[in-house]
Amino acid sequence: MMRTRPLKVALLGCGVVGSEVARIMTTHAADLAARIGAPVELAGVAVRRPDKVREGIDPALVTTDATALVKRGDIDVVVEVIGGIEPARTLITTAFAHEASVVSANKALIAQDGAALHAAADEHGRDLYYEAAVAGAIPLIRPLRESLAGDKVNRVLGIVNGTTNFILDAMDSTGAGYQEALDEATALGYAEADPTADVEGFDAAAKAAILAGIAFHTRVRLDDVYREGMTEVTAADFASAKEMGCTIKLLAICERAADGGSVTARVHPAMIPLSHPLANVREAYNAVFVESEAAGQLMFYGPGAGGSPTASAVLGDLVAVCRNRIGGATGPGESAYAALPVSPMGDVVTRYHISLDVADKPGVLAQVATVFAEHGVSIDTVRQSGKDGEASLVVVTHRASDAALGGTVEALRKLDTVRGVASIMRVEGE
């Protein structure tokens, strides 16, 4: 039986995502009510520019006083899509204090202060849901913390930023350089005017922190995630990758150590074999692999950003939170019981592709091989080419720690026969 009193929703932010959330709430009102068991009413919309025309939204609902909106006392759910740390953090904690549950798409805030926000939600017996904070429309957070709650997740590996994937895909398919591919992404609306958060890996690192925390039942903050952007990836790197039967992706990688005693979280460009499913994720799409003991390998794929996809995830959370509200219950909160330490990047073990500019003369290869051996890094393959006294030497290692590889590269730079280190790329997905 459907209850007649509507659940009241306050919307904080009415940009690309917020306006789509409002539109879906209006056009699908009857369906949402049937799925929830009660009508859902948009009770207020907090914005910075009240004079802007917002199609389909009653101007009487629009306010610039977000604090007053969340303090009203009759609000059941606050939907936060303004982003950033403040005022979002204060508004969310204020909402909890005034008995409202919260649905958020704020990856930066959840990655930085998720533990404190969960504590505030628990204190007031309210929900905090944020499916839209990671990978847009792709259901990922809920499967990790609900569907796989009885399993042991060992690894999460994926492409979680559509802008960087579009750029790298363009470089791979057309041979374009980084700047040329970025310009195309900007012209098509895939990249922001300031793409720093995307191309330097900040966006993906926030998502990696959230995924690692949920997957490993451990608090992982943004500062715990190793981050390396993709602005230094060149057309030459793609040429080298193709010679190895690989392509290059910006990956978020969250792993449990082999002994189960620690975890790592990192974001960086990596070569992956063309045979790996992630190699075929094109344009601005996202895809995430989850590897667990019982379920094995699972892959989640779809659009990772945009107004409609992200709004879809927000509305999914809204339905779940409203159902909980009617039932007088709350959904899963933070699970950090494992409290595993987060290991530094130096402990991470993987394969490496190193391109060196060297003198083209006898003995150079032997010198380079000796340096690798002295640092305990085993060489898998070597390829050398050159003329007129200069040469290029490409070394692919077996698995080695980041610390060991770092010591090797430092020693290589001291050799008189090594003119420079052209590039270093990790090799993943094997």
Side-chain angles (χ1 to χ4, degrees):
M1 181 178 178
M2 183 179 296
R3 78 174 201 175
T4 56
R5 187 181 75 79
L7 291 160
K8 294 189 177 183
V9 177
L11 179 61
L12 308 184
C14 198
V16 173
V17 176
S19 59
E20 190 65 8
V21 169
R23 184 192 68 79
I24 295 173
M25 285 185 63
T26 302
T27 58
H28 295 258
D31 286 338
L32 290 173
R35 294 166 192 172
I36 292 169
V40 179
E41 175 187 312
L42 187 59
V45 181
V47 300
R48 286 183 298 178
R49 293 179 293 170
D51 297 331
K52 180 180 177 180
V53 176
R54 294 173 172 86
E55 187 177 348
I57 296 177
D58 183 352
L61 297 177
V62 176
T63 177
T64 58
D65 194 342
T67 301
L69 178 59
V70 300
K71 282 184 173 181
R72 272 179 34 175
D74 64 336
I75 300 297
D76 295 288
V77 184
V78 170
V79 174
E80 183 271 310
V81 289
I82 56 178
I85 305 302
E86 288 291 356
R89 174 170 51 197
T90 298
L91 290 169
I92 288 174
T93 55
T94 301
F96 291 140
H98 287 77
E99 307 304 318
S101 290
V102 173
V103 172
S104 175
N106 196 330
K107 53 188 169 286
L109 179 58
I110 301 300
Q112 177 172 306
D113 290 318
L117 294 177
H118 273 293
D122 290 344
E123 178 185 354
H124 296 284
R126 292 295 176 253
D127 277 320
L128 172 62
Y129 276 46
Y130 42 88
E131 183 69 62
V134 179
I138 305 173
L140 190 56
I141 290 177
R142 193 168 294 134
L144 279 174
R145 70 177 185 177
E146 296 182 30
S147 303
L148 295 174
D151 205 344
K152 181 181 180 181
V153 176
N154 291 318
R155 194 174 196 230
V156 180
L157 166 75
I159 298 163
V160 295
N161 183 278
T163 299
T164 56
N165 199 58
F166 182 91
I167 292 170
L168 292 173
D169 183 45
M171 292 176 69
D172 184 30
S173 59
T174 68
Y178 165 75
Q179 189 60 52
E180 184 181 352
L182 173 60
D183 290 344
E184 180 185 3
T186 303
L188 292 173
Y190 290 118
E192 301 286 347
D194 180 2
T196 302
D198 294 322
V199 300
E200 293 294 352
F202 290 101
D203 175 87
K207 296 170 182 176
I210 295 170
L211 292 174
I214 296 171
F216 306 133
H217 304 279
T218 292
R219 287 178 178 169
V220 180
R221 289 171 52 88
L222 182 57
D223 292 344
D224 295 321
V225 182
Y226 172 83
R227 178 194 55 78
E228 185 180 318
M230 42 78 72
T231 58
E232 301 300 318
V233 177
T234 67
D237 290 326
F238 273 100
S240 293
K242 287 181 178 179
E243 290 180 0
M244 290 178 57
C246 293
T247 188
I248 299 171
K249 298 292 186 182
L250 185 76
L251 299 179
I253 305 170
C254 311
E255 293 179 305
R256 189 189 299 269
D259 63 5
S262 64
V263 299
T264 59
R266 50 196 166 103
V267 169
H268 54 72
M271 293 182 179
I272 58 173
L274 294 175
S275 58
H276 195 284
L278 289 179
N280 296 311
V281 178
R282 310 303 297 271
E283 298 184 337
Y285 277 77
N286 285 190
V288 177
F289 258 81
V290 177
E291 300 174 10
S292 67
E293 286 194 354
Q297 289 189 338
L298 306 172
M299 183 174 175
F300 300 83
Y301 170 85
S308 293
T310 306
S312 171
V314 169
L315 267 295
D317 278 351
L318 179 63
V319 168
V321 169
C322 287
R323 287 171 174 170
N324 291 343
R325 189 83 172 190
I326 291 173
T330 56
E334 183 190 33
S335 175
Y337 74 90
L340 296 171
V342 182
S343 296
M345 187 62 187
D347 293 346
V348 171
V349 175
T350 188
R351 297 180 67 204
Y352 291 87
H353 175 283
I354 304 102
S355 180
L356 305 172
D357 295 326
V358 300
D360 188 14
K361 63 182 183 180
V364 172
L365 180 56
Q367 284 184 324
V368 169
T370 297
V371 169
F372 276 88
E374 289 175 346
H375 289 80
V377 180
S378 175
I379 294 176
D380 182 15
T381 62
V382 177
R383 185 175 70 255
Q384 185 173 3
S385 61
K387 61 181 180 179
D388 299 328
E390 298 297 328
S392 174
L393 189 65
V394 175
V395 178
V396 179
T397 74
H398 288 290
R399 292 176 64 83
S401 73
D402 192 78
L405 196 282
T408 303
V409 171
E410 184 178 350
L412 287 171
R413 294 183 192 277
K414 296 177 180 178
L415 293 178
D416 292 338
T417 51
V418 175
R419 310 297 192 218
V421 179
S423 69
I424 302 172
M425 187 80 65
R426 295 172 183 84
V427 183
E428 301 283 351
E430 295 185 317

